[in-house]
Amino acid sequence: KQWYQRRVRETTEECVSLYETTLEKILDELAPLEERIVNCSSKPPWFTQACYDALRSRRKAERKYRRIYRKALKRRHQKRKQVSQCKIEEAEKHYLKEIRHAKLVFKEARREYFRKRLQATEGNPAATYQILNYLLEKKKKKKK
């Protein structure tokens, strides 16, 4: 039957139901559901609150630098009063300082985490070597 031959729907629920089923049929034909495996990228176990704070501070400095730099480019293009080069350089220096600080915080947090793990496995050579292989990024050889 054609859409114009169908009887008049008496309730809005029937109309909504018809609309939903029709949309589902069309979507199933045009874009069928596919099952996918999604990797949730979580933070590493050594990522501490200090790391989050350093990351937040670095992003804040980056946004400030980009905002000032974009403002300077826009004003130059519009031939208006220029943003002082000193202000741009100061924001850039602060951003670079925050990058170095974040790297240092990450490095120290990672170092401390693995130091504690190695101390905890002091009497167990297999666990110690497992941690060392992880740190050295050695993969297990597959047996044929």
Side-chain angles (χ1 to χ4, degrees), residues 65 87-97:
Y65 168 66
K87 201 171 189 179
I88 296 171
E89 289 173 1
E90 182 181 310
E92 183 181 20
K93 283 180 186 177
H94 179 65
Y95 174 47
L96 293 174
K97 185 183 119 202

Side-chain angles (χ1 to χ4, degrees), residues 26-92:
I26 293 170
L27 279 174
D28 286 341
E29 285 179 26
L30 296 177
L33 285 178
E34 292 181 7
E35 190 172 318
R36 298 195 181 243
I37 298 172
V38 178
N39 292 334
C40 288
S41 60
S42 60
K43 300 291 185 211
W46 50 265
F47 213 80
T48 62
Q49 186 60 42
C51 295
Y52 282 109
D53 294 342
L55 199 59
R56 191 176 304 117
S57 178
R58 183 183 75 186
R59 287 289 293 141
K60 183 178 178 183
E62 179 186 9
R63 284 191 302 270
K64 182 177 180 181
Y65 168 66
R66 287 181 186 270
R67 184 177 59 245
I68 290 172
Y69 191 76
R70 274 195 307 267
K71 192 177 193 180
L73 287 178
K74 186 177 179 182
R75 286 184 176 205
R76 186 179 306 148
H77 179 69
Q78 294 175 347
K79 297 180 181 174
R80 291 172 45 198
K81 183 180 175 185
Q82 296 292 318
V83 174
S84 70
Q85 189 66 26
C86 180
K87 201 171 189 179
I88 296 171
E89 289 173 1
E90 182 181 310
E92 183 181 20

Side-chain angles (χ1 to χ4, degrees), residues 19-32:
Y19 179 73
E20 287 178 349
T21 55
T22 307
L23 276 180
E24 283 178 15
K25 287 177 185 174
I26 293 170
L27 279 174
D28 286 341
E29 285 179 26
L30 296 177

